[in-house]
CSV table of all heavy atoms in Angstrom, one decimal:
chain,number,residue,atom,x,y,z
A,133,THR,N,3.8,-2.7,29.9
A,133,THR,CA,5.2,-2.5,29.5
A,133,THR,C,5.8,-3.8,29.1
A,133,THR,O,6.9,-3.9,28.6
A,133,THR,CB,6.1,-1.9,30.6
A,133,THR,OG1,5.9,-2.7,31.8
A,133,THR,CG2,5.6,-0.5,30.9
A,134,LEU,N,5.1,-4.9,29.3
A,134,LEU,CA,5.5,-6.2,28.9
A,134,LEU,C,4.3,-7.0,28.3
A,134,LEU,O,3.4,-7.3,29.1
A,134,LEU,CB,6.1,-7.0,30.1
A,134,LEU,CG,6.9,-8.3,29.7
A,134,LEU,CD1,8.3,-7.9,29.1
A,134,LEU,CD2,7.1,-9.1,31.0
A,135,GLY,N,4.3,-7.2,27.1
A,135,GLY,CA,3.1,-7.9,26.4
A,135,GLY,C,3.3,-9.4,26.5
A,135,GLY,O,4.3,-9.9,27.0
A,136,PRO,N,2.2,-10.1,26.0
A,136,PRO,CA,2.4,-11.6,25.9
A,136,PRO,C,3.4,-11.9,24.8
A,136,PRO,O,3.7,-11.0,24.0
A,136,PRO,CB,1.0,-12.0,25.4
A,136,PRO,CG,0.4,-10.8,24.7
A,136,PRO,CD,1.0,-9.6,25.4
A,137,MET,N,3.9,-13.1,24.8
A,137,MET,CA,4.8,-13.4,23.7
A,137,MET,C,4.0,-13.6,22.4
A,137,MET,O,2.8,-13.7,22.5
A,137,MET,CB,5.6,-14.7,24.1
A,137,MET,CG,6.6,-14.4,25.2
A,137,MET,SD,7.7,-15.8,25.5
A,137,MET,CE,8.7,-15.7,24.0
A,138,ALA,N,4.7,-13.7,21.3
A,138,ALA,CA,3.9,-13.7,20.0
A,138,ALA,C,3.0,-14.9,19.9
A,138,ALA,O,2.1,-14.9,19.1
A,138,ALA,CB,4.9,-13.6,18.9
A,139,ASN,N,3.4,-16.0,20.5
A,139,ASN,CA,2.6,-17.2,20.4
A,139,ASN,C,2.8,-18.0,21.7
A,139,ASN,O,3.8,-18.0,22.3
A,139,ASN,CB,3.1,-18.0,19.2
A,139,ASN,CG,2.1,-19.2,18.8
A,139,ASN,OD1,2.0,-20.1,19.6
A,139,ASN,ND2,1.4,-19.0,17.7
A,140,LYS,N,1.7,-18.8,22.1
A,140,LYS,CA,1.8,-19.6,23.3
A,140,LYS,C,2.9,-20.6,23.2
A,140,LYS,O,3.6,-20.9,24.2
A,140,LYS,CB,0.4,-20.3,23.4
A,140,LYS,CG,0.4,-21.5,24.3
A,140,LYS,CD,-0.9,-22.2,24.4
A,140,LYS,CE,-0.9,-23.7,24.3
A,140,LYS,NZ,0.1,-24.3,25.1
A,141,ARG,N,3.3,-21.1,22.0
A,141,ARG,CA,4.3,-22.1,22.0
A,141,ARG,C,5.7,-21.5,22.3
A,141,ARG,O,6.6,-22.2,22.8
A,141,ARG,CB,4.3,-22.9,20.7
A,141,ARG,CG,4.8,-22.1,19.4
A,141,ARG,CD,4.7,-23.0,18.2
A,141,ARG,NE,5.4,-22.4,17.1
A,141,ARG,CZ,4.9,-21.6,16.2
A,141,ARG,NH1,3.6,-21.2,16.4
A,141,ARG,NH2,5.5,-21.0,15.2
A,142,PHE,N,5.9,-20.2,22.0
A,142,PHE,CA,7.1,-19.6,22.4
A,142,PHE,C,7.3,-19.5,23.9
A,142,PHE,O,8.3,-19.6,24.5
A,142,PHE,CB,7.3,-18.2,21.7
A,142,PHE,CG,7.1,-18.2,20.2
A,142,PHE,CD1,6.5,-17.2,19.6
A,142,PHE,CD2,7.6,-19.3,19.5
A,142,PHE,CE1,6.3,-17.2,18.2
A,142,PHE,CE2,7.5,-19.3,18.1
A,142,PHE,CZ,6.8,-18.3,17.4
A,143,ALA,N,6.1,-19.1,24.5
A,143,ALA,CA,6.1,-19.0,26.0
A,143,ALA,C,6.4,-20.3,26.6
A,143,ALA,O,7.1,-20.4,27.6
A,143,ALA,CB,4.8,-18.4,26.4
A,144,ASP,N,5.8,-21.4,26.1
A,144,ASP,CA,6.0,-22.7,26.6
A,144,ASP,C,7.5,-23.1,26.5
A,144,ASP,O,8.0,-23.8,27.4
A,144,ASP,CB,5.1,-23.8,25.9
A,144,ASP,CG,3.7,-23.6,26.3
A,144,ASP,OD1,3.4,-23.0,27.3
A,144,ASP,OD2,2.8,-24.2,25.5
A,145,TRP,N,8.2,-22.7,25.5
A,145,TRP,CA,9.6,-23.0,25.3
A,145,TRP,C,10.4,-22.4,26.4
A,145,TRP,O,11.2,-23.0,27.1
A,145,TRP,CB,10.1,-22.5,23.9
A,145,TRP,CG,11.6,-22.5,23.8
A,145,TRP,CD1,12.3,-21.4,23.8
A,145,TRP,CD2,12.5,-23.6,23.7
A,145,TRP,NE1,13.7,-21.7,23.7
A,145,TRP,CE2,13.8,-23.0,23.6
A,145,TRP,CE3,12.4,-25.0,23.7
A,145,TRP,CZ2,14.9,-23.8,23.5
A,145,TRP,CZ3,13.5,-25.8,23.6
A,145,TRP,CH2,14.8,-25.2,23.5
A,146,VAL,N,10.1,-21.1,26.7
A,146,VAL,CA,10.8,-20.4,27.7
A,146,VAL,C,10.5,-21.0,29.1
A,146,VAL,O,11.4,-21.1,30.0
A,146,VAL,CB,10.5,-18.9,27.7
A,146,VAL,CG1,11.3,-18.1,28.8
A,146,VAL,CG2,10.9,-18.3,26.3
A,147,ARG,N,9.2,-21.3,29.3
A,147,ARG,CA,8.8,-22.0,30.6
A,147,ARG,C,9.6,-23.2,30.8
A,147,ARG,O,10.1,-23.5,31.9
A,147,ARG,CB,7.3,-22.3,30.6
A,147,ARG,CG,6.4,-21.1,30.8
A,147,ARG,CD,4.9,-21.6,30.8
A,147,ARG,NE,4.1,-20.4,30.9
A,147,ARG,CZ,3.3,-19.9,29.9
A,147,ARG,NH1,3.3,-20.4,28.7
A,147,ARG,NH2,2.6,-18.8,30.1
A,148,LYS,N,9.8,-24.0,29.8
A,148,LYS,CA,10.6,-25.2,29.9
A,148,LYS,C,12.0,-25.0,30.2
A,148,LYS,O,12.6,-25.6,31.1
A,148,LYS,CB,10.5,-26.0,28.6
A,148,LYS,CG,11.2,-27.4,28.6
A,148,LYS,CD,10.9,-28.2,27.4
A,148,LYS,CE,11.4,-29.7,27.6
A,148,LYS,NZ,12.7,-29.9,28.3
A,149,GLN,N,12.6,-24.0,29.5
A,149,GLN,CA,14.0,-23.6,29.8
A,149,GLN,C,14.2,-23.2,31.3
A,149,GLN,O,15.2,-23.6,31.9
A,149,GLN,CB,14.5,-22.5,28.9
A,149,GLN,CG,14.9,-22.9,27.5
A,149,GLN,CD,15.6,-21.7,26.8
A,149,GLN,OE1,15.1,-20.6,26.8
A,149,GLN,NE2,16.6,-22.1,26.0
A,150,ASN,N,13.3,-22.4,31.7
A,150,ASN,CA,13.4,-21.9,33.1
A,150,ASN,C,13.2,-23.1,34.1
A,150,ASN,O,14.0,-23.2,35.0
A,150,ASN,CB,12.2,-20.9,33.4
A,150,ASN,CG,12.5,-19.5,32.7
A,150,ASN,OD1,13.6,-19.2,32.3
A,150,ASN,ND2,11.4,-18.7,32.6
A,151,ALA,N,12.2,-23.9,33.9
A,151,ALA,CA,12.0,-25.1,34.8
A,151,ALA,C,13.2,-26.0,34.8
A,151,ALA,O,13.6,-26.5,35.8
A,151,ALA,CB,10.7,-25.8,34.4
A,152,ASP,N,13.7,-26.3,33.6
A,152,ASP,CA,14.9,-27.2,33.5
A,152,ASP,C,16.1,-26.7,34.2
A,152,ASP,O,16.8,-27.4,34.9
A,152,ASP,CB,15.2,-27.5,32.0
A,152,ASP,CG,14.2,-28.4,31.3
A,152,ASP,OD1,13.3,-28.9,32.0
A,152,ASP,OD2,14.3,-28.6,30.1
A,153,ALA,N,16.3,-25.4,34.1
A,153,ALA,CA,17.4,-24.7,34.8
A,153,ALA,C,17.3,-24.9,36.3
A,153,ALA,O,18.2,-25.2,37.0
A,153,ALA,CB,17.5,-23.3,34.4
A,154,VAL,N,16.1,-24.6,36.8
A,154,VAL,CA,15.8,-24.7,38.2
A,154,VAL,C,16.0,-26.1,38.7
A,154,VAL,O,16.6,-26.4,39.7
A,154,VAL,CB,14.4,-24.1,38.6
A,154,VAL,CG1,14.0,-24.4,40.0
A,154,VAL,CG2,14.4,-22.6,38.3
A,155,ALA,N,15.5,-27.1,37.9
A,155,ALA,CA,15.6,-28.5,38.3
A,155,ALA,C,17.1,-28.9,38.3
A,155,ALA,O,17.5,-29.8,39.1
A,155,ALA,CB,14.9,-29.3,37.2
A,156,ALA,N,17.9,-28.2,37.5
A,156,ALA,CA,19.4,-28.5,37.5
A,156,ALA,C,20.1,-27.7,38.5
A,156,ALA,O,21.4,-27.7,38.5
A,156,ALA,CB,19.9,-28.3,36.1
A,157,GLY,N,19.4,-26.9,39.3
A,157,GLY,CA,20.1,-26.2,40.4
A,157,GLY,C,20.2,-24.7,40.3
A,157,GLY,O,20.7,-24.1,41.2
A,158,ALA,N,19.6,-24.1,39.3
A,158,ALA,CA,19.6,-22.7,39.2
A,158,ALA,C,18.6,-22.0,40.2
A,158,ALA,O,17.6,-22.7,40.6
A,158,ALA,CB,19.2,-22.3,37.8
A,159,THR,N,18.8,-20.8,40.5
A,159,THR,CA,17.9,-20.0,41.4
A,159,THR,C,17.1,-19.1,40.5
A,159,THR,O,17.6,-18.3,39.7
A,159,THR,CB,18.7,-19.2,42.4
A,159,THR,OG1,19.5,-20.0,43.2
A,159,THR,CG2,17.7,-18.4,43.3
A,160,ALA,N,15.7,-19.2,40.7
A,160,ALA,CA,14.8,-18.3,39.9
A,160,ALA,C,14.5,-17.1,40.9
A,160,ALA,O,13.9,-17.4,42.0
A,160,ALA,CB,13.6,-19.0,39.5
A,161,HIS,N,14.8,-15.9,40.5
A,161,HIS,CA,14.7,-14.8,41.5
A,161,HIS,C,13.3,-14.1,41.5
A,161,HIS,O,13.0,-13.3,42.3
A,161,HIS,CB,15.7,-13.7,41.2
A,161,HIS,CG,17.1,-14.2,41.6
A,161,HIS,ND1,17.7,-13.8,42.7
A,161,HIS,CD2,18.0,-15.0,40.9
A,161,HIS,CE1,18.9,-14.3,42.8
A,161,HIS,NE2,19.1,-15.1,41.7
A,162,ILE,N,12.5,-14.4,40.5
A,162,ILE,CA,11.2,-13.8,40.4
A,162,ILE,C,10.1,-14.8,40.6
A,162,ILE,O,10.0,-15.8,39.9
A,162,ILE,CB,11.1,-13.0,39.0
A,162,ILE,CG1,12.2,-12.0,38.9
A,162,ILE,CG2,9.7,-12.4,38.9
A,162,ILE,CD1,12.1,-10.9,38.0
A,163,ASP,N,9.2,-14.4,41.5
A,163,ASP,CA,8.0,-15.2,41.8
A,163,ASP,C,7.0,-14.8,40.7
A,163,ASP,O,6.5,-13.7,40.7
A,163,ASP,CB,7.4,-14.9,43.2
A,163,ASP,CG,6.2,-15.7,43.5
A,163,ASP,OD1,5.7,-16.5,42.6
A,163,ASP,OD2,5.7,-15.6,44.6
A,164,ALA,N,6.6,-15.7,39.8
A,164,ALA,CA,5.7,-15.4,38.7
A,164,ALA,C,4.4,-14.8,39.2
A,164,ALA,O,3.8,-14.1,38.5
A,164,ALA,CB,5.5,-16.6,37.8
A,165,LYS,N,4.0,-15.2,40.4
A,165,LYS,CA,2.7,-14.7,40.9
A,165,LYS,C,2.6,-13.2,41.1
A,165,LYS,O,1.6,-12.7,41.2
A,165,LYS,CB,2.4,-15.4,42.2
A,165,LYS,CG,2.1,-16.9,42.1
A,165,LYS,CD,1.4,-17.5,43.3
A,165,LYS,CE,1.7,-19.0,43.5
A,165,LYS,NZ,3.1,-19.2,43.7
A,166,LEU,N,3.8,-12.6,41.1
A,166,LEU,CA,3.8,-11.1,41.2
A,166,LEU,C,3.2,-10.5,39.9
A,166,LEU,O,2.7,-9.3,40.0
A,166,LEU,CB,5.3,-10.6,41.2
A,166,LEU,CG,6.1,-10.8,42.6
A,166,LEU,CD1,7.5,-10.4,42.3
A,166,LEU,CD2,5.4,-9.9,43.7
A,167,PHE,N,3.2,-11.3,38.9
A,167,PHE,CA,2.6,-10.8,37.6
A,167,PHE,C,1.2,-11.4,37.4
A,167,PHE,O,1.1,-12.5,37.0
A,167,PHE,CB,3.6,-11.1,36.5
A,167,PHE,CG,4.9,-10.4,36.6
A,167,PHE,CD1,5.9,-10.8,37.3
A,167,PHE,CD2,5.0,-9.2,35.9
A,167,PHE,CE1,7.1,-10.1,37.5
A,167,PHE,CE2,6.2,-8.4,36.0
A,167,PHE,CZ,7.3,-8.9,36.8
A,168,LEU,N,0.2,-10.6,37.8
A,168,LEU,CA,-1.1,-11.1,37.8
A,168,LEU,C,-1.7,-11.6,36.5
A,168,LEU,O,-2.5,-12.5,36.5
A,168,LEU,CB,-2.1,-10.0,38.4
A,168,LEU,CG,-1.7,-9.5,39.8
A,168,LEU,CD1,-2.7,-8.3,40.2
A,168,LEU,CD2,-1.8,-10.6,40.8
A,169,ARG,N,-1.2,-11.1,35.4
A,169,ARG,CA,-1.7,-11.5,34.1
A,169,ARG,C,-1.1,-12.8,33.6
A,169,ARG,O,-1.6,-13.3,32.6
A,169,ARG,CB,-1.5,-10.3,33.1
A,169,ARG,CG,-2.2,-10.4,31.8
A,169,ARG,CD,-3.7,-10.4,32.0
A,169,ARG,NE,-4.5,-10.6,30.8
A,169,ARG,CZ,-4.7,-11.8,30.2
A,169,ARG,NH1,-4.2,-12.9,30.8
A,169,ARG,NH2,-5.3,-11.9,29.1
A,170,GLN,N,0.0,-13.3,34.2
A,170,GLN,CA,0.6,-14.5,33.6
A,170,GLN,C,-0.3,-15.7,33.8
A,170,GLN,O,-1.0,-15.8,34.8
A,170,GLN,CB,2.0,-14.7,34.2
A,170,GLN,CG,2.0,-15.1,35.7
A,170,GLN,CD,1.9,-16.6,36.0
A,170,GLN,OE1,2.3,-17.4,35.1
A,170,GLN,NE2,1.3,-16.9,37.1
A,171,ARG,N,-0.4,-16.5,32.8
A,171,ARG,CA,-1.2,-17.7,32.9
A,171,ARG,C,-0.4,-18.9,32.3
A,171,ARG,O,0.0,-18.7,31.1
A,171,ARG,CB,-2.5,-17.6,32.1
A,171,ARG,CG,-3.4,-16.5,32.6
A,171,ARG,CD,-4.4,-17.0,33.6
A,171,ARG,NE,-5.4,-15.9,34.0
A,171,ARG,CZ,-5.1,-14.8,34.7
A,171,ARG,NH1,-3.8,-14.6,35.1
A,171,ARG,NH2,-6.0,-14.0,34.9
A,172,PRO,N,-0.3,-20.0,32.9
A,172,PRO,CA,0.4,-21.1,32.3
A,172,PRO,C,-0.5,-21.5,31.0
A,172,PRO,O,-1.7,-21.2,31.0
A,172,PRO,CB,0.3,-22.2,33.3
A,172,PRO,CG,-0.1,-21.6,34.6
A,172,PRO,CD,-0.7,-20.3,34.3
A,173,ALA,N,0.2,-22.1,30.0
A,173,ALA,CA,-0.5,-22.5,28.8
A,173,ALA,C,-1.1,-21.4,28.0
A,173,ALA,O,-2.0,-21.6,27.2
A,173,ALA,CB,-1.6,-23.6,29.1
A,174,THR,N,-0.6,-20.1,28.3
A,174,THR,CA,-1.0,-19.0,27.4
A,174,THR,C,0.3,-18.3,27.0
A,174,THR,O,1.4,-18.7,27.5
A,174,THR,CB,-1.9,-18.0,28.1
A,174,THR,OG1,-1.1,-17.3,29.1
A,174,THR,CG2,-3.1,-18.6,28.8
A,175,ALA,N,0.2,-17.3,26.2
A,175,ALA,CA,1.3,-16.5,25.7
A,175,ALA,C,1.8,-15.5,26.8
A,175,ALA,O,2.8,-14.9,26.6
A,175,ALA,CB,1.0,-15.8,24.4
A,176,TYR,N,1.0,-15.4,27.9
A,176,TYR,CA,1.4,-14.4,28.9
A,176,TYR,C,2.4,-15.0,29.9
A,176,TYR,O,2.0,-15.9,30.7
A,176,TYR,CB,0.1,-13.9,29.7
A,176,TYR,CG,-0.8,-13.0,28.9
A,176,TYR,CD1,-1.7,-13.5,28.0
A,176,TYR,CD2,-0.6,-11.6,28.9
A,176,TYR,CE1,-2.5,-12.7,27.3
A,176,TYR,CE2,-1.4,-10.8,28.1
A,176,TYR,CZ,-2.3,-11.3,27.3
A,176,TYR,OH,-3.1,-10.5,26.6
A,177,LEU,N,3.6,-14.6,29.8
A,177,LEU,CA,4.7,-15.2,30.6
A,177,LEU,C,5.4,-14.1,31.4
A,177,LEU,O,5.7,-13.1,30.9
A,177,LEU,CB,5.7,-15.8,29.7
A,177,LEU,CG,7.0,-16.4,30.3
A,177,LEU,CD1,6.6,-17.6,31.2
A,177,LEU,CD2,8.0,-16.9,29.3
A,178,ALA,N,5.5,-14.4,32.7
A,178,ALA,CA,6.2,-13.4,33.6
A,178,ALA,C,7.7,-13.5,33.3
A,178,ALA,O,8.3,-14.5,32.9
A,178,ALA,CB,6.0,-13.8,35.1
A,179,PRO,N,8.4,-12.3,33.5
A,179,PRO,CA,9.9,-12.3,33.2
A,179,PRO,C,10.6,-13.1,34.3
A,179,PRO,O,10.0,-13.4,35.4
A,179,PRO,CB,10.2,-10.9,33.3
A,179,PRO,CG,9.2,-10.3,34.2
A,179,PRO,CD,7.9,-11.0,34.0
A,180,GLN,N,11.8,-13.6,34.0
A,180,GLN,CA,12.6,-14.4,35.0
A,180,GLN,C,14.0,-14.0,34.9
A,180,GLN,O,14.6,-13.7,33.9
A,180,GLN,CB,12.4,-15.9,34.7
A,180,GLN,CG,12.9,-16.8,35.8
A,180,GLN,CD,12.3,-16.4,37.2
A,180,GLN,OE1,12.9,-15.6,37.9
A,180,GLN,NE2,11.2,-17.0,37.6
A,181,VAL,N,14.7,-14.1,36.1
A,181,VAL,CA,16.1,-13.8,36.2
A,181,VAL,C,16.7,-15.0,36.9
A,181,VAL,O,16.2,-15.4,38.0
A,181,VAL,CB,16.4,-12.6,37.0
A,181,VAL,CG1,17.9,-12.3,37.1
A,181,VAL,CG2,15.7,-11.4,36.4
Side-chain angles (χ1 to χ4, degrees):
Chain A
T133 55
L134 193 74
M137 292 189 69
N139 191 292
K140 164 180 136 41
R141 71 179 191 276
F142 304 143
D144 285 342
W145 165 253
V146 179
R147 284 183 182 105
K148 183 171 191 322
Q149 282 191 316
N150 287 342
D152 288 353
V154 170
T159 301
H161 289 259
I162 302 201
D163 180 357
K165 291 195 208 66
L166 286 172
F167 292 85
L168 301 177
R169 193 60 185 84
Q170 68 86 30
R171 296 275 183 287
T174 71
Y176 288 88
L177 177 66
Q180 191 53 270
V181 182

